Amino acid sequence: MPKGEIEPPDAIAAGAMEPLRRVRVTIAYDGTNFHGWQVQPGVITIQSVLQDALGIIEGAPVIVAGSGRTDAGVHALGQVAAFSLRNPIPVENLQRALNRLLPGSIRILAATETHREFHPRFDAVSKTYEYRIFRGEICLAFESNFVYHHPYPLDVGRMLQLAPLLEGEHDFSAFAAADDRDIQGRSKIRRIFSSGFAVRGEYLIYSVRGSGFLKHMVRNIVGTLLEVGKGNVDEDLLGRQLKTGSRISPSQRAPAKGLYLLSVEY
Amino acid sequence: MPKGEIEPPDAIAAGAMEPLRRVRVTIAYDGTNFHGWQVQPGVITIQSVLQDALGIIEGAPVIVAGSGRTDAGVHALGQVAAFSLRNPIPVENLQRALNRLLPGSIRILAATETHREFHPRFDAVSKTYEYRIFRGEICLAFESNFVYHHPYPLDVGRMLQLAPLLEGEHDFSAFAAADDRDIQGRSKIRRIFSSGFAVRGEYLIYSVRGSGFLKHMVRNIVGTLLEVGKGNVDEDLLGRQLKTGSRISPSQRAPAKGLYLLSVEY
């Protein structure tokens, strides 16, 4: 190192300690009793619970980076996160130790060594979400936090037909969260690779894969497609909304409990 | 009515009101967030929430009788209850109104008119319970409140073999709740019609049908059968325990969250 250059903090620390390593984890969670992913003061979040468990293992604070936030009540079957730590525990043991320390509603499905620069958000190529609607008369008591119960008439054929209109590159301003919609500067352009419904018995499942998603975007898309099913939004209105980026069709954000982050692709 | 006879209270009331009718309901519930079935001061129970909802419909207090209590955290797929009310609402509408008033974790699966003397507890012929054990390494995040996670070695063949030993009429004192075990007077004799395990993938499911069950009895039976699987209890010890009624085998009560009241037979 040339004289006069400041040694990076990592190198100083590493003098007396184990080298810093980076671990990537795949996480499933039941979001019902958490205030979403992101750390917030005074409430329990997935990220805060993970950081607490890792802090016990590391004996020092650990920062966990996720592929993105999920709202309160939203679930994950394959959230991806990464963190750096010095504890040399093998990844298999780390996974087991985390699953012992974490509540049963958060499970580490996989843990692998990764390169020092890996970032679960910036390195992601796409994300896949699923939204579960239950159309039967009586929802299972055991699913009250895991599906959106909608026992009213819907033109499902029309919903299946129009859902793929979302595919492609669009300005999704009309589907952004209300508190985010009018903020200029940050691009609201995203690319949707696939968007469609599947009917499984009394369940209507919406799946969407995209380059990235704005806050509340999937729930707002589902809300709009439910209006398609009710006959309040037609192909023309949906097309114009995607073209102009203006919120011109009536819709409500679909409830958080029906939404699952299925996977993050790299 | 002959002079001098006292009119029964029902008849007096019916002079100005609708006649009293009796309704039988089948109920499913996720017991996670309830302090069991039975009304208790200061806590939320299935029975109290049902009575509150019926009180709104009737405009007067309604007492709900159940087929029996379930502990805090225990679930039901087919609990049976009955109540009397004067509101002439058709049963289909009553079911719908209740499902609207109740939290999603309690669902009325069926509602039918029944005779005035029907009592869900005293008229029951048998009850069927199921206990769900998950043996895989990582339990689903969505099932943390719905199965007992037991990822340790078990001699499942031995458990399948010995579970039917419970069948028949026995003094189940050894399987009664600790606070109930030594109370004399009330008979601890019950008849078990069927008792057995089924293996479904990584799940081990215990099913038991009996004339009636003591407090904690199914969970204590499962705890003992888990000791069979661990090699700590053999056929001789289990047989002697059923014969003598004395608690001579080591075991812990299995957790509430794995237990389901499947059905009540009349």
Side-chain angles (χ1 to χ4, degrees), chain A residues 21 92 111 128 130-131 148 194 206-207 215 223 226:
Chain A
R21 56 199 278 236
E92 300 76 27
T128 306
E130 187 174 281
Y131 195 93
Y148 173 37
S194 64
Y206 175 68
S207 299
K215 184 179 169 189
L226 282 166

Side-chain angles (χ1 to χ4, degrees), chain A residues 132-195:
Chain A
R132 302 183 184 172
I133 298 163
F134 179 72
R135 303 193 60 220
E137 167 75 16
I138 302 167
C139 187
L140 282 177
F142 305 91
E143 291 200 335
S144 62
N145 297 318
F146 299 116
V147 296
Y148 173 37
H149 186 207
H150 190 282
Y152 314 107
L154 286 175
D155 182 343
V156 173
R158 201 93 188 102
M159 295 170 75
L160 267 74
Q161 199 185 351
L162 296 200
L165 282 188
L166 279 296
E167 293 174 5
E169 199 169 80
H170 303 285
D171 175 351
F172 283 96
S173 294
F175 299 93
D179 59 5
D180 202 26
R181 203 172 294 145
D182 303 319
I183 298 172
Q184 301 298 315
R186 272 197 287 177
S187 167
K188 303 281 191 300
I189 293 173
R190 296 290 184 279
R191 174 169 288 278
I192 298 294
F193 302 111
S194 64
S195 162

Side-chain angles (χ1 to χ4, degrees), chain A residues 1 5 7 13 25 33-34 42 53 57 85-86 94 126-128 143 151 157 168 182 189 201 203 224 240 254 262:
Chain A
M1 185 175 287
E5 246 191 73
E7 256 193 331
V25 288
N33 296 317
F34 297 97
I57 293 167
L85 75 172
R86 296 193 187 277
L94 176 64
S126 65
K127 282 184 183 180
T128 306
E143 291 200 335
D182 303 319
I189 293 173
Y203 295 83
T224 301
R240 275 194 289 141
L262 278 200

Side-chain angles (χ1 to χ4, degrees), chain A:
Chain A
M1 185 175 287
K3 259 195 165 173
E5 246 191 73
I6 296 158
E7 256 193 331
D10 275 1
I12 295 172
M17 291 192 244
E18 297 282 347
L20 207 59
R21 56 199 278 236
R22 195 147 176 89
V23 176
R24 168 180 166 168
V25 288
T26 306
I27 313 165
Y29 47 82
D30 166 359
T32 309
N33 296 317
F34 297 97
H35 286 257
W37 169 267
Q38 177 92 349
V39 166
Q40 287 176 66
V43 296
I44 294 173
T45 68
I46 317 283
Q47 192 188 23
S48 70
V49 170
L50 274 168
Q51 292 187 163
D52 289 351
L54 281 162
I56 291 168
I57 293 167
E58 178 76 342
V62 176
I63 302 294
V64 174
S67 78
R69 305 175 186 190
T70 52
D71 298 334
V74 171
H75 314 293
L77 292 167
Q79 169 70 285
V80 174
F83 46 84
S84 301
L85 75 172
R86 296 193 187 277
N87 187 320
I89 180 173
V91 282
E92 300 76 27
N93 298 358
L94 176 64
Q95 181 186 359
R96 256 192 295 272
L98 279 172
N99 279 333
R100 236 167 256 147
L101 288 167
L102 291 166
S105 49
I106 304 179
R107 294 292 85 187
I108 305 296
L109 303 182
T112 51
E113 301 286 345
T114 185
H115 57 87
R116 282 281 295 276
E117 287 73 33
F118 175 73
H119 195 289
R121 181 163 154 225
F122 304 124
D123 295 353
V125 172
S126 65
K127 282 184 183 180
T128 306
Y129 281 93
E130 187 174 281
Y131 195 93
R132 302 183 184 172
I133 298 163
F134 179 72
R135 303 193 60 220
E137 167 75 16
I138 302 167
C139 187
L140 282 177
F142 305 91
E143 291 200 335
S144 62
N145 297 318
F146 299 116
V147 296
Y148 173 37
H149 186 207
H150 190 282
Y152 314 107
L154 286 175
D155 182 343
V156 173
R158 201 93 188 102
M159 295 170 75
L160 267 74
Q161 199 185 351
L162 296 200
L165 282 188
L166 279 296
E167 293 174 5
E169 199 169 80
H170 303 285
D171 175 351
F172 283 96
S173 294
F175 299 93
D179 59 5
D180 202 26
R181 203 172 294 145
D182 303 319
I183 298 172
Q184 301 298 315
R186 272 197 287 177
S187 167
K188 303 281 191 300
I189 293 173
R190 296 290 184 279
R191 174 169 288 278
I192 298 294
F193 302 111
S194 64
S195 162
F197 280 101
V199 178
R200 296 186 207 145
E202 289 181 301
Y203 295 83
L204 181 59
I205 313 287
Y206 175 68
S207 299
V208 62
R209 190 164 68 82
S211 61
F213 293 89
L214 305 167
K215 184 179 169 189
H216 294 167
M217 180 169 147
V218 182
R219 292 164 61 192
N220 283 331
I221 288 175
V222 172
T224 301
L225 291 171
L226 282 166
E227 292 302 317
V228 168
K230 292 178 205 164
N232 299 330
V233 172
D234 62 9
E235 182 168 350
D236 176 59
L237 196 58
L238 182 59
R240 275 194 289 141
Q241 181 156 307
L242 282 164
K243 211 165 190 172
T244 62
S246 308
R247 191 175 171 82
I248 48 179
S249 76
S251 81
Q252 286 211 306
R253 184 164 81 238
K257 61 186 182 176
L259 185 61
Y260 294 74
L261 173 56
L262 278 200
S263 58
V264 187
E265 290 83 39
Y266 292 92

Side-chain angles (χ1 to χ4, degrees), chain B residues 62-218:
Chain B
V62 175
I63 301 295
V64 174
S67 78
R69 304 174 188 190
T70 52
D71 297 334
V74 171
H75 313 294
L77 292 167
Q79 169 70 288
V80 174
F83 46 83
S84 301
L85 76 173
R86 296 193 187 275
N87 187 320
I89 181 173
V91 281
E92 300 77 27
N93 298 358
L94 176 63
Q95 181 185 0
R96 256 193 294 273
L98 279 173
N99 279 333
R100 235 168 258 148
L101 289 167
L102 291 166
S105 49
I106 305 179
R107 294 290 87 185
I108 305 297
L109 304 182
T112 51
E113 301 285 344
T114 184
H115 58 87
R116 282 281 296 277
E117 287 73 33
F118 175 72
H119 195 289
R121 181 163 155 227
F122 304 124
D123 294 353
V125 171
S126 65
K127 282 184 185 180
T128 305
Y129 281 93
E130 187 173 280
Y131 194 92
R132 301 184 184 172
I133 298 164
F134 178 72
R135 302 193 61 222
E137 168 74 16
I138 302 168
C139 187
L140 282 177
F142 305 91
E143 292 201 336
S144 62
N145 297 319
F146 299 116
V147 296
Y148 173 36
H149 186 206
H150 189 282
Y152 314 107
L154 286 174
D155 183 343
V156 173
R158 201 93 189 101
M159 294 171 76
L160 267 73
Q161 199 185 352
L162 296 200
L165 281 188
L166 280 295
E167 294 173 4
E169 198 168 80
H170 303 285
D171 176 350
F172 283 96
S173 294
F175 300 93
D179 60 4
D180 201 28
R181 203 173 293 145
D182 303 319
I183 298 172
Q184 301 299 314
R186 272 196 287 178
S187 167
K188 303 280 192 299
I189 294 172
R190 297 289 184 279
R191 175 169 287 278
I192 299 293
F193 302 111
S194 65
S195 162
F197 279 101
V199 178
R200 294 186 209 146
E202 290 181 300
Y203 296 83
L204 182 60
I205 314 286
Y206 176 67
S207 299
V208 62
R209 190 165 67 84
S211 62
F213 293 88
L214 304 167
K215 184 179 169 188
H216 295 169
M217 180 168 147
V218 182

